[in-house]
């Protein structure tokens, strides 16, 4: 199972929106997808229609040893897409695991229980570079970074890439960067175009060709418990995420992509 962490320590960059809609797009393309909600806010779970009252077992129990993977996985309304929901209990993980020698490897060990059930796993990380994100990076083979088209984008990216290098050096030497996805692009704003150009000049081919536009329907969809690709598959945001999903599949190892 190919594991991809979706991370950016800066909040409000479209990270969870990207996780939900990429997971949906990959499932639509035929891949068996597991989305791990690893953010204490639990927005990915809400956005896929998993009610708070039905999250008795979640990613918190998964990494504290209170439940196995097959006990916490929930089916979603999207065929071939399952989710491990999240609760606010995750916010206490750094304190609870502070004395545990394997604290950075808990998620990796839990996902090892997957046993071929899914082709790909996306991990929606919290907007921080704490223990939860470190767990996700250790558990993953690659990293996808949603990057908002705004002034401070590159500054935050450099900090994240520094963390990736530290994880490679100490915990997961096989971690690669799958790509940078430009989000919240406003074609009416010259700054968005300038940031996009600057990021491509610095990062090069790591930047996906597809750009995710600002789109009201993308913002509306989570309140209905649906991915935008289901809520309104013809809106510009949905069409962009489908294009990004196809581009992502093209960057996956051949064994994973073949499943689509």
């Amino acid at each position: 199972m190919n594991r991809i962490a979706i991370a950016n320590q800066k909040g409000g960059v479209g990270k969870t929106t990207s996780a939900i809609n990429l997971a949906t797009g990959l499932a639509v393309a035929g891949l068996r997808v597991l989305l791990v909600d690893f953010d204490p806010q639990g927005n990915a779970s809400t956005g896929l229609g998993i009610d708070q009252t039905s999250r008795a077992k979640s990613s918190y129990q998964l990494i504290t040893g209170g439940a196995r993977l097959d006990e916490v996985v929930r089916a979603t309304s999207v065929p071939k897409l399952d989710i491990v929901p999240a609760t606010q209990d995750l916010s206490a993980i750094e304190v609870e695991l502070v004395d545990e020698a394997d604290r950075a490897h808990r998620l990796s060990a839990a996902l090892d229980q997957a046993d071929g059930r899914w082709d790909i796993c996306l991990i929606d990380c919290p907007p921080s570079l704490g223990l939860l994100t470190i767990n996700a990076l250790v558990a993953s083979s690659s990293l996808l970074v949603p990057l908002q088209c705004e002034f401070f984008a590159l500054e935050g990216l450099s900090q994240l890439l520094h963390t990736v290098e530290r994880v490679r050096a100490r915990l997961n030497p096989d971690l690669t960067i799958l790509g940078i996805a430009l989000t919240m692009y406003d074609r009416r704003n010259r700054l968005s175009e300038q940031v996009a150009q600057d990021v491509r000049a610095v990062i090069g081919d790591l930047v996906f060709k597809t750009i995710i536009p600002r789109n009201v329907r993308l913002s509306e969809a989570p309140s209905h418990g649906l991915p935008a690709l289901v809520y309104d598959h013809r809106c510009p945001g949905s069409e962009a995420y489908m294009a990004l999903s196809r581009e992502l599949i093209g960057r996956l190892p051949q064994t994973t992509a073949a499943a689509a």
Side-chain angles (χ1 to χ4, degrees):
M1 179 173 68
N2 196 294
R3 306 174 189 173
I4 302 172
I6 300 180
N8 189 328
Q9 78 277 12
K10 190 176 184 302
V13 300
K15 177 180 57 59
T16 297
T17 297
S18 295
I20 292 172
N21 288 292
L22 282 173
T24 303
L26 293 171
V28 169
L31 292 171
R32 298 168 299 167
V33 184
L34 175 65
L35 175 58
V36 177
D37 190 346
F38 220 44
D39 186 340
Q41 297 177 85
N43 290 338
S45 305
T46 302
L48 282 169
I50 308 299
D51 188 79
Q52 287 278 0
T53 59
S54 63
R55 303 180 200 176
K57 292 184 178 179
S58 66
S59 50
Y60 170 78
Q61 282 79 19
L62 186 64
I63 65 167
T64 56
R68 290 178 54 82
L69 181 61
D70 58 4
E71 296 177 304
V72 300
V73 169
R74 297 284 306 276
T76 72
S77 60
V78 179
K80 295 192 175 186
L81 172 56
D82 296 326
I83 186 170
V84 175
T87 63
Q88 291 185 349
D89 294 336
L90 273 178
S91 60
I93 284 298
E94 298 217 19
V95 174
E96 293 189 25
L97 298 183
V98 65
D99 294 324
E100 301 295 328
D102 66 341
R103 60 186 177 274
H105 298 267
R106 290 295 186 94
L107 181 59
S108 181
L111 292 178
D112 285 342
Q113 303 167 14
D115 195 27
R117 182 173 169 184
W118 299 279
D119 300 307
I120 190 165
C121 173
L122 301 183
I123 306 169
D124 183 31
C125 299
S128 72
L129 294 177
L131 183 59
L132 291 172
T133 299
I134 297 299
N135 256 268
L137 295 177
V138 171
S140 298
S141 53
S142 57
L143 167 68
L144 189 152
V145 184
L147 196 69
Q148 184 181 2
C149 293
E150 57 95 43
F151 183 71
F152 293 112
L154 284 173
E155 182 177 311
L157 179 61
S158 63
Q159 185 179 358
L160 176 60
L161 296 182
H162 177 66
T163 299
V164 169
E165 289 304 319
R166 290 173 59 193
V167 170
R168 278 177 178 159
R170 303 178 185 180
L171 299 167
N172 183 5
D174 297 325
L175 180 66
T176 63
I177 299 174
L178 183 64
I180 312 295
L182 298 175
T183 64
M184 299 184 175
Y185 180 85
D186 187 347
R187 67 183 63 187
R188 301 166 301 178
N189 187 338
R190 291 181 61 187
L191 178 61
S192 287
E193 178 59 29
Q194 186 60 56
V195 170
Q197 291 179 4
D198 290 347
V199 172
R200 292 190 190 282
V202 173
I203 308 298
D205 291 340
L206 276 179
V207 183
F208 288 101
K209 294 178 181 178
T210 304
I211 297 179
I212 308 301
R214 282 192 179 276
N215 183 230
V216 173
R217 304 298 266 179
L218 288 179
S219 302
E220 290 176 352
S223 66
H224 297 271
L226 294 170
L229 272 69
V230 175
Y231 179 64
D232 183 355
H233 70 278
R234 291 186 177 137
C235 74
S238 291
E239 291 179 348
Y241 273 116
M242 277 306 303
L244 183 59
S245 298
R246 290 190 292 269
E247 195 174 348
L248 188 157
I249 289 173
R251 297 191 182 192
L252 293 176
Q254 289 186 352
T255 52
T256 305

Short mmCIF file of all heavy atoms in Angstrom, two decimals, residues 2 4 6 18-34 78-81 119-122 144 178 229 241-242 244-250 252 256 259-260:
data_model
loop_
_atom_site.label_atom_id
_atom_site.label_comp_id
_atom_site.label_asym_id
_atom_site.label_seq_id
_atom_site.Cartn_x
_atom_site.Cartn_y
_atom_site.Cartn_z
N ASN A 2 0.69 2.08 -1.00
CA ASN A 2 1.43 3.33 -1.08
C ASN A 2 0.86 4.34 -0.08
O ASN A 2 -0.35 4.57 -0.06
CB ASN A 2 1.35 3.89 -2.51
CG ASN A 2 2.38 4.96 -2.77
OD1 ASN A 2 2.33 6.02 -2.18
ND2 ASN A 2 3.31 4.67 -3.65
N ILE A 4 0.81 8.19 1.48
CA ILE A 4 1.14 9.57 1.16
C ILE A 4 0.67 10.49 2.27
O ILE A 4 -0.53 10.53 2.58
CB ILE A 4 0.50 10.00 -0.17
CG1 ILE A 4 0.94 9.09 -1.31
CG2 ILE A 4 0.84 11.46 -0.48
CD1 ILE A 4 0.21 9.34 -2.61
N ILE A 6 -0.25 14.11 3.53
CA ILE A 6 -0.63 15.42 3.00
C ILE A 6 -0.43 16.42 4.12
O ILE A 6 -1.17 16.43 5.11
CB ILE A 6 -2.09 15.41 2.51
CG1 ILE A 6 -2.26 14.37 1.40
CG2 ILE A 6 -2.50 16.79 2.00
CD1 ILE A 6 -3.66 14.27 0.85
N SER A 18 -7.99 19.16 0.06
CA SER A 18 -7.21 18.37 -0.89
C SER A 18 -7.24 16.89 -0.53
O SER A 18 -7.39 16.03 -1.41
CB SER A 18 -5.77 18.86 -0.94
OG SER A 18 -5.69 20.18 -1.43
N ALA A 19 -7.12 16.58 0.76
CA ALA A 19 -7.14 15.18 1.19
C ALA A 19 -8.46 14.51 0.82
O ALA A 19 -8.48 13.41 0.27
CB ALA A 19 -6.90 15.10 2.70
N ILE A 20 -9.57 15.18 1.12
CA ILE A 20 -10.90 14.61 0.85
C ILE A 20 -11.11 14.39 -0.65
O ILE A 20 -11.54 13.32 -1.09
CB ILE A 20 -12.00 15.54 1.40
CG1 ILE A 20 -11.97 15.56 2.93
CG2 ILE A 20 -13.37 15.12 0.89
CD1 ILE A 20 -12.89 16.60 3.54
N ASN A 21 -10.80 15.41 -1.42
CA ASN A 21 -11.13 15.35 -2.85
C ASN A 21 -10.12 14.52 -3.66
O ASN A 21 -10.50 13.89 -4.65
CB ASN A 21 -11.28 16.75 -3.41
CG ASN A 21 -12.57 17.40 -2.91
OD1 ASN A 21 -13.67 16.99 -3.28
ND2 ASN A 21 -12.43 18.39 -2.05
N LEU A 22 -8.88 14.49 -3.24
CA LEU A 22 -7.92 13.60 -3.89
C LEU A 22 -8.27 12.14 -3.57
O LEU A 22 -8.20 11.28 -4.45
CB LEU A 22 -6.50 13.91 -3.44
CG LEU A 22 -5.85 15.12 -4.10
CD1 LEU A 22 -4.50 15.42 -3.45
CD2 LEU A 22 -5.68 14.92 -5.60
N ALA A 23 -8.64 11.87 -2.32
CA ALA A 23 -9.05 10.52 -1.96
C ALA A 23 -10.24 10.09 -2.80
O ALA A 23 -10.30 8.96 -3.31
CB ALA A 23 -9.38 10.44 -0.47
N THR A 24 -11.19 10.99 -2.98
CA THR A 24 -12.36 10.69 -3.80
C THR A 24 -11.97 10.50 -5.26
O THR A 24 -12.43 9.56 -5.92
CB THR A 24 -13.40 11.82 -3.68
OG1 THR A 24 -13.75 11.99 -2.30
CG2 THR A 24 -14.64 11.52 -4.49
N GLY A 25 -11.13 11.38 -5.77
CA GLY A 25 -10.71 11.28 -7.16
C GLY A 25 -9.96 9.99 -7.44
O GLY A 25 -10.16 9.35 -8.49
N LEU A 26 -9.12 9.56 -6.50
CA LEU A 26 -8.39 8.31 -6.68
C LEU A 26 -9.33 7.11 -6.63
O LEU A 26 -9.17 6.14 -7.39
CB LEU A 26 -7.32 8.17 -5.59
CG LEU A 26 -6.18 9.19 -5.66
CD1 LEU A 26 -5.31 9.10 -4.40
CD2 LEU A 26 -5.32 8.99 -6.90
N ALA A 27 -10.35 7.19 -5.76
CA ALA A 27 -11.34 6.12 -5.70
C ALA A 27 -12.17 6.05 -6.98
O ALA A 27 -12.45 4.96 -7.50
CB ALA A 27 -12.26 6.32 -4.49
N VAL A 28 -12.54 7.22 -7.51
CA VAL A 28 -13.28 7.27 -8.77
C VAL A 28 -12.44 6.65 -9.90
O VAL A 28 -12.97 6.00 -10.80
CB VAL A 28 -13.66 8.73 -9.11
CG1 VAL A 28 -14.18 8.83 -10.54
CG2 VAL A 28 -14.72 9.23 -8.14
N ALA A 29 -11.12 6.84 -9.81
CA ALA A 29 -10.22 6.29 -10.84
C ALA A 29 -10.03 4.78 -10.70
O ALA A 29 -9.37 4.16 -11.54
CB ALA A 29 -8.88 6.99 -10.78
N GLY A 30 -10.58 4.19 -9.63
CA GLY A 30 -10.52 2.74 -9.48
C GLY A 30 -9.60 2.22 -8.40
O GLY A 30 -9.55 1.01 -8.16
N LEU A 31 -8.88 3.11 -7.71
CA LEU A 31 -8.00 2.67 -6.63
C LEU A 31 -8.80 2.43 -5.36
O LEU A 31 -9.78 3.13 -5.09
CB LEU A 31 -6.91 3.70 -6.37
CG LEU A 31 -5.87 3.90 -7.47
CD1 LEU A 31 -5.00 5.11 -7.16
CD2 LEU A 31 -5.02 2.67 -7.63
N ARG A 32 -8.38 1.47 -4.56
CA ARG A 32 -8.96 1.26 -3.23
C ARG A 32 -8.21 2.17 -2.27
O ARG A 32 -7.00 2.01 -2.08
CB ARG A 32 -8.82 -0.20 -2.82
CG ARG A 32 -9.55 -1.19 -3.75
CD ARG A 32 -9.12 -2.61 -3.46
NE ARG A 32 -7.68 -2.78 -3.68
CZ ARG A 32 -7.00 -3.85 -3.26
NH1 ARG A 32 -7.61 -4.82 -2.62
NH2 ARG A 32 -5.70 -3.93 -3.50
N VAL A 33 -8.92 3.12 -1.68
CA VAL A 33 -8.28 4.22 -0.95
C VAL A 33 -8.64 4.20 0.53
O VAL A 33 -9.81 4.02 0.89
CB VAL A 33 -8.69 5.58 -1.55
CG1 VAL A 33 -7.95 6.72 -0.85
CG2 VAL A 33 -8.43 5.62 -3.06
N LEU A 34 -7.64 4.41 1.37
CA LEU A 34 -7.85 4.63 2.80
C LEU A 34 -7.39 6.04 3.14
O LEU A 34 -6.25 6.41 2.84
CB LEU A 34 -7.04 3.62 3.63
CG LEU A 34 -7.10 3.83 5.14
CD1 LEU A 34 -8.51 3.60 5.68
CD2 LEU A 34 -6.10 2.91 5.86
N VAL A 78 -18.61 7.12 -0.63
CA VAL A 78 -17.89 7.00 -1.90
C VAL A 78 -17.39 5.56 -2.05
O VAL A 78 -16.62 5.08 -1.21
CB VAL A 78 -16.69 7.97 -1.96
CG1 VAL A 78 -15.93 7.81 -3.27
CG2 VAL A 78 -17.15 9.40 -1.76
N PRO A 79 -17.80 4.84 -3.08
CA PRO A 79 -17.31 3.47 -3.28
C PRO A 79 -15.78 3.43 -3.35
O PRO A 79 -15.16 4.31 -3.92
CB PRO A 79 -17.93 3.07 -4.62
CG PRO A 79 -19.15 3.92 -4.74
CD PRO A 79 -18.78 5.24 -4.12
N LYS A 80 -15.20 2.42 -2.70
CA LYS A 80 -13.75 2.19 -2.67
C LYS A 80 -12.99 3.18 -1.78
O LYS A 80 -11.76 3.15 -1.76
CB LYS A 80 -13.14 2.19 -4.07
CG LYS A 80 -13.63 1.06 -4.96
CD LYS A 80 -12.78 0.93 -6.21
CE LYS A 80 -13.21 -0.30 -7.02
NZ LYS A 80 -12.33 -0.53 -8.16
N LEU A 81 -13.69 4.03 -1.05
CA LEU A 81 -13.03 4.98 -0.16
C LEU A 81 -13.44 4.71 1.28
O LEU A 81 -14.62 4.82 1.63
CB LEU A 81 -13.37 6.42 -0.54
CG LEU A 81 -12.89 7.52 0.43
CD1 LEU A 81 -11.37 7.45 0.64
CD2 LEU A 81 -13.29 8.90 -0.10
N ASP A 119 -5.07 0.05 -1.99
CA ASP A 119 -3.95 0.34 -2.89
C ASP A 119 -3.15 1.54 -2.42
O ASP A 119 -1.93 1.60 -2.63
CB ASP A 119 -4.48 0.64 -4.30
CG ASP A 119 -5.26 -0.53 -4.88
OD1 ASP A 119 -4.71 -1.65 -4.91
OD2 ASP A 119 -6.42 -0.32 -5.29
N ILE A 120 -3.83 2.47 -1.80
CA ILE A 120 -3.18 3.72 -1.44
C ILE A 120 -3.80 4.28 -0.16
O ILE A 120 -4.99 4.12 0.10
CB ILE A 120 -3.30 4.74 -2.60
CG1 ILE A 120 -2.43 5.97 -2.34
CG2 ILE A 120 -4.75 5.15 -2.85
CD1 ILE A 120 -2.22 6.83 -3.57
N CYS A 121 -2.96 4.91 0.64
CA CYS A 121 -3.40 5.54 1.89
C CYS A 121 -2.97 7.01 1.88
O CYS A 121 -1.80 7.32 1.65
CB CYS A 121 -2.77 4.82 3.08
SG CYS A 121 -3.07 5.63 4.68
N LEU A 122 -3.93 7.90 2.11
CA LEU A 122 -3.64 9.32 2.26
C LEU A 122 -3.79 9.67 3.74
O LEU A 122 -4.75 9.27 4.39
CB LEU A 122 -4.60 10.17 1.43
CG LEU A 122 -4.63 9.93 -0.08
CD1 LEU A 122 -5.59 10.91 -0.75
CD2 LEU A 122 -3.25 10.04 -0.69
N LEU A 144 2.90 14.92 -0.04
CA LEU A 144 2.25 15.87 -0.94
C LEU A 144 1.97 17.13 -0.14
O LEU A 144 1.38 17.07 0.95
CB LEU A 144 0.97 15.29 -1.51
CG LEU A 144 0.28 16.09 -2.62
CD1 LEU A 144 -0.51 15.16 -3.54
CD2 LEU A 144 -0.67 17.15 -2.06
N LEU A 178 6.41 13.77 -3.21
CA LEU A 178 5.64 13.42 -4.40
C LEU A 178 5.35 14.65 -5.24
O LEU A 178 5.40 14.62 -6.47
CB LEU A 178 4.33 12.75 -4.00
CG LEU A 178 3.44 12.25 -5.12
CD1 LEU A 178 4.13 11.13 -5.90
CD2 LEU A 178 2.11 11.74 -4.56
N LEU A 229 -16.36 16.61 -5.23
CA LEU A 229 -16.52 15.80 -6.44
C LEU A 229 -17.87 15.09 -6.49
O LEU A 229 -18.32 14.70 -7.56
CB LEU A 229 -15.40 14.77 -6.55
CG LEU A 229 -14.12 15.23 -7.27
CD1 LEU A 229 -13.37 16.26 -6.45
CD2 LEU A 229 -13.22 14.05 -7.56
N TYR A 241 -9.57 19.04 -9.12
CA TYR A 241 -9.12 17.93 -8.27
C TYR A 241 -9.11 16.60 -9.04
O TYR A 241 -8.28 15.73 -8.77
CB TYR A 241 -9.98 17.82 -7.01
CG TYR A 241 -9.44 18.69 -5.89
CD1 TYR A 241 -10.17 19.75 -5.38
CD2 TYR A 241 -8.18 18.45 -5.34
CE1 TYR A 241 -9.67 20.56 -4.37
CE2 TYR A 241 -7.66 19.25 -4.33
CZ TYR A 241 -8.41 20.30 -3.85
OH TYR A 241 -7.90 21.10 -2.85
N MET A 242 -10.03 16.43 -9.98
CA MET A 242 -9.97 15.22 -10.81
C MET A 242 -8.71 15.23 -11.68
O MET A 242 -8.04 14.21 -11.83
CB MET A 242 -11.21 15.12 -11.70
CG MET A 242 -12.42 14.50 -11.01
SD MET A 242 -12.11 12.87 -10.25
CE MET A 242 -11.50 11.90 -11.62
N LEU A 244 -5.94 16.79 -10.92
CA LEU A 244 -4.81 16.58 -10.01
C LEU A 244 -4.70 15.11 -9.62
O LEU A 244 -3.60 14.57 -9.50
CB LEU A 244 -4.97 17.46 -8.77
CG LEU A 244 -3.83 17.40 -7.75
CD1 LEU A 244 -2.51 17.83 -8.39
CD2 LEU A 244 -4.14 18.29 -6.54
N SER A 245 -5.84 14.45 -9.45
CA SER A 245 -5.83 13.02 -9.12
C SER A 245 -5.17 12.21 -10.24
O SER A 245 -4.36 11.31 -9.98
CB SER A 245 -7.26 12.51 -8.89
OG SER A 245 -7.87 13.16 -7.80
N ARG A 246 -5.52 12.54 -11.48
CA ARG A 246 -4.90 11.83 -12.62
C ARG A 246 -3.40 12.10 -12.67
O ARG A 246 -2.61 11.20 -12.97
CB ARG A 246 -5.58 12.27 -13.92
CG ARG A 246 -7.02 11.77 -14.07
CD ARG A 246 -7.56 12.01 -15.46
NE ARG A 246 -7.75 13.43 -15.73
CZ ARG A 246 -8.88 14.08 -15.51
NH1 ARG A 246 -9.93 13.46 -15.00
NH2 ARG A 246 -8.98 15.37 -15.81
N GLU A 247 -3.03 13.33 -12.39
CA GLU A 247 -1.61 13.68 -12.41
C GLU A 247 -0.86 12.96 -11.28
O GLU A 247 0.27 12.49 -11.48
CB GLU A 247 -1.46 15.20 -12.26
CG GLU A 247 -0.09 15.72 -12.63
CD GLU A 247 -0.01 17.23 -12.61
OE1 GLU A 247 -1.06 17.91 -12.53
OE2 GLU A 247 1.12 17.74 -12.66
N LEU A 248 -1.51 12.86 -10.12
CA LEU A 248 -0.91 12.15 -8.99
C LEU A 248 -0.70 10.68 -9.33
O LEU A 248 0.36 10.11 -9.05
CB LEU A 248 -1.82 12.31 -7.77
CG LEU A 248 -1.31 11.81 -6.41
CD1 LEU A 248 -2.06 12.53 -5.29
CD2 LEU A 248 -1.49 10.32 -6.23
N ILE A 249 -1.70 10.06 -9.94
CA ILE A 249 -1.59 8.65 -10.33
C ILE A 249 -0.39 8.44 -11.26
O ILE A 249 0.32 7.44 -11.17
CB ILE A 249 -2.89 8.17 -11.00
CG1 ILE A 249 -4.01 8.05 -9.96
CG2 ILE A 249 -2.69 6.83 -11.70
CD1 ILE A 249 -5.37 7.77 -10.54
N GLY A 250 -0.15 9.42 -12.13
CA GLY A 250 0.98 9.33 -13.04
C GLY A 250 2.33 9.36 -12.33
O GLY A 250 3.34 8.95 -12.91
N LEU A 252 2.75 7.88 -9.24
CA LEU A 252 2.81 6.76 -8.33
C LEU A 252 3.66 5.63 -8.91
O LEU A 252 3.83 5.54 -10.12
CB LEU A 252 1.40 6.22 -8.06
CG LEU A 252 0.45 7.15 -7.28
CD1 LEU A 252 -0.94 6.51 -7.18
CD2 LEU A 252 1.00 7.46 -5.90
N THR A 256 1.15 0.50 -8.03
CA THR A 256 -0.04 1.15 -7.47
C THR A 256 -0.91 1.70 -8.58
O THR A 256 -2.11 1.53 -8.59
CB THR A 256 0.37 2.28 -6.52
OG1 THR A 256 1.25 1.76 -5.51
CG2 THR A 256 -0.86 2.90 -5.85
N ALA A 259 -3.38 -0.49 -10.55
CA ALA A 259 -4.66 -0.90 -9.96
C ALA A 259 -5.80 -0.05 -10.45
O ALA A 259 -6.96 -0.45 -10.39
CB ALA A 259 -4.57 -0.82 -8.43
N ALA A 260 -5.50 1.14 -10.93
CA ALA A 260 -6.54 2.04 -11.46
C ALA A 260 -6.94 1.62 -12.86
O ALA A 260 -7.88 2.12 -13.40
CB ALA A 260 -6.01 3.47 -11.46
#
